[in-house]
Amino acid sequence: MKEEKVKYALVTGGSRGIGRAVCVQLAKDLDYQLLINYNGNKEAAEETLALVKEAGGNGTLLQFNVTNGEEVRSKLDDWHEANKNGVIEVLVNNAGIAKDGLFMWMSPDDWSSVINTSLNGFYNVTNALIQKLLVNKYGRIINMVSVSGLKGTPGQTNYSAAKSAVIGATKALAQEVAKRKVTVNAVAPGFIATDMTAELDESELKKMIPANRFGKAEEVAHVVSFLASDKASYITGEVININGGIYS
């Protein structure tokens, strides 16, 4: 008798903010074991795992730095070796950092670290898994981008460049893999209340937002969960905005 495959969803940068909300929502909505990736903050990742279990799901922590291609590949190879009957069907490329500042004064490190995390991180993790998704003839890749990648945000030239590049990659890869029932979509949040936006002046910024408030991480997570499901099988190469009405 053929052994039943255990299905997994991998969320990079799953320890906090939108990544955490996505892990919890997937645990509630879909029948996947969660692979919660984190880089440095194990304590926060463990809190996410506790919330996943509270929501009725289960999962494992997976530590790697998405910017380090060799480490990503070796950790994922080790995981596959240890979980022969496991199959990663869903990949949420959520890991990202911001180092804001005017371009004129932007250091090479502030430029390259942001590009490395969002864009090269997308490459490193997706490239390490894409062959298995194609062999499996089923997969969901969801890339976390940003309103900044669509309209550009002053003071975020590095972040806007990185997220815009991932949008282009999303549209191209979607066309390469669609025949194998692998979809590739992007979700572009606007101002969402998380650690990343905690220092922003919400009372001032919400005047720019037609909905007149910051979004919640859960509102982003619901869309990711839908895109990760069977229901979204005819949606690919799309960028879905979750921004309360801010359009470029």
Side-chain angles (χ1 to χ4, degrees):
M1 203 168 118
K2 202 175 174 188
E3 194 177 7
E4 190 70 23
K5 289 276 189 193
V6 182
K7 295 176 178 182
Y8 289 83
L10 167 59
V11 181
T12 69
S15 61
R16 296 181 305 164
I18 289 173
R20 171 177 287 181
V22 166
C23 288
V24 172
Q25 201 60 50
L26 291 175
K28 286 178 181 172
D29 295 347
L30 302 172
D31 193 19
Y32 285 110
Q33 298 273 324
L34 270 297
L35 289 174
I36 302 161
N37 160 256
Y38 69 99
N39 181 23
N41 194 340
K42 188 175 185 185
E43 197 180 329
E46 282 170 345
E47 282 169 25
T48 301
L49 181 55
L51 290 167
V52 161
K53 288 180 175 171
E54 214 174 279
N58 210 339
T60 318
L61 303 187
L62 199 55
Q63 191 279 328
F64 56 76
N65 182 340
V66 297
T67 67
N68 183 332
E70 281 178 25
E71 184 188 11
V72 169
R73 202 165 278 277
S74 114
K75 288 282 175 82
L76 288 171
D77 284 349
D78 290 350
W79 182 85
H80 280 110
E81 197 54 44
N83 296 271
K84 296 267 199 225
N85 71 330
V87 56
I88 297 172
E89 285 194 348
V90 173
L91 167 60
V92 182
N93 285 303
N94 169 72
I97 57 167
K99 290 195 175 179
D100 297 352
L102 291 177
F103 184 75
M104 183 167 68
W105 292 305
M106 189 171 284
S107 70
D109 180 65
D110 285 356
W111 174 265
S112 57
S113 59
V114 168
I115 299 282
N116 275 337
T117 308
S118 281
L119 180 57
N120 297 341
F122 154 80
Y123 169 80
N124 291 335
V125 183
T126 311
N127 188 257
L129 292 174
I130 193 75
Q131 205 169 353
K132 287 187 164 60
L133 291 174
L134 295 172
V135 168
N136 189 37
K137 292 189 183 152
Y138 183 88
R140 298 280 182 266
I141 299 168
I142 298 135
N143 299 320
M144 202 57 63
V145 292
S146 167
V147 66
S148 300
L150 287 155
K151 73 177 198 65
T153 301
Q156 283 198 322
T157 303
N158 49 0
Y159 191 73
S160 299
K163 295 301 189 183
S164 188
V166 175
I167 289 170
T170 299
K171 290 172 178 285
L173 182 59
Q175 295 171 69
E176 291 183 17
V177 299
K179 280 198 177 97
R180 292 278 179 149
K181 297 193 177 128
V182 178
T183 65
V184 190
N185 291 292
V187 171
F191 290 105
I192 306 296
T194 64
D195 298 354
M196 215 169 175
T197 56
E199 287 171 23
L200 300 178
D201 182 354
E202 185 172 349
S203 58
E204 197 52 42
L205 285 166
K206 71 180 189 183
K207 293 173 189 167
M208 299 161 42
I209 306 167
N212 198 38
R213 66 175 178 88
F214 276 20
K216 300 185 187 112
E218 291 72 23
E219 291 175 301
V220 179
H222 281 295
V223 176
V224 175
S225 177
F226 168 69
L227 289 172
S229 75
D230 278 341
K231 295 170 186 166
S233 58
Y234 204 54
I235 302 171
T236 196
E238 276 304 314
V239 183
I240 298 180
N241 293 283
I242 307 173
N243 61 25
I246 303 176
Y247 291 100
S248 50

